[in-house]
Structures are given as structure tokens and as C-alpha cells.
Amino acid sequence: VAPLIAGIAVAAAAYAGRYSIRAWQAFKARPPTARVRRFYEGGFQPSMTRREAALILGVRESTPAEKIKEAHRRVMVANHPDAGGSHYLASKINEAKDMMLRRNKGGSGSAF
């Protein structure tokens, strides 16, 4: 009985190894995916909050001013009206920057 159990164990190990090698080869052969940073997908609130502003700019609420300015520039380049973006989105992005830099002292700064 012992040689039979040993044979079954060796066969099981061989099948597991074969499956593992094929899975690894399939994993390595898959096309590389670019890590695209996702931005805020919309649905704006009537009055912007710091949380919404941080989501729009893709930063945390406690981000330093220099990083906020870099994030604003990056998002604005992607959505600028001169490059095919909308004026509404540009105004919301600017409002988000102002909110994060604590320049907005109440009310909506959006022109729309």
C-alpha cells in the first residue's frame, strides 16, 4: 500500500508543479498594464468641500501647498479649455485649488 500512496503523491506533486509553471508563464506573458492615476469622476456638490477639492485634484486633504499647486497644474493641463476641455471643469479645478489653499472664504467660486 505504501508504494501506491507514494506514487499518487508523486503524481499529484507533478501535476501541481505543471499547473504552477503554466500559471507563471501565463502571468509573465500577459501584456503590461499602465498604472493610470484616476481622477475624480464628477458629480459636483453645490458648495465645494475640502474633501471634494482633494478628490478633484487627486491629493489628500493634508497635502502641502507646493504639492497642491503641482496637482492643480497636472489636472488643469489635462482639462484646459484651450486643449479641448470644458470651461466648467476648469472653473471647478481652480475652485478646488483655492479651497485647498484656503483662499475660498465661503460660497461657491464657480462662475457656473
Side-chain angles (χ1 to χ4, degrees):
V1 174
L4 179 65
I5 293 174
I8 292 173
V10 169
Y15 279 120
R18 180 178 167 200
Y19 176 78
S20 298
I21 290 171
R22 285 188 177 177
W24 177 253
Q25 288 173 346
F27 175 75
K28 293 296 280 185
R30 68 184 170 87
T33 57
R35 292 191 55 160
V36 177
R37 185 173 180 143
R38 296 188 47 125
F39 294 107
Y40 183 60
E41 293 183 359
F44 299 112
Q45 299 173 2
S47 178
M48 186 169 295
T49 62
R50 281 189 62 79
R51 181 180 184 283
E52 182 181 24
L55 287 171
I56 290 170
L57 295 176
V59 296
R60 294 185 177 166
E61 291 182 44
S62 60
T63 303
E66 184 176 310
K67 296 288 184 181
I68 292 171
K69 290 176 185 176
E70 289 174 17
H72 172 263
R73 179 178 303 269
R74 184 179 61 250
V75 175
M76 186 56 84
V77 165
N79 294 290
H80 197 275
D82 291 344
S86 86
H87 291 283
Y88 178 72
L89 286 178
S91 71
K92 284 299 197 179
I93 294 166
N94 287 330
E95 185 181 357
K97 181 186 89 169
D98 292 342
M99 173 64 74
M100 291 300 292
L101 295 176
R102 300 178 191 259
R103 292 185 190 154
N104 193 355
K105 297 294 183 188
S108 175
S110 175
F112 297 96

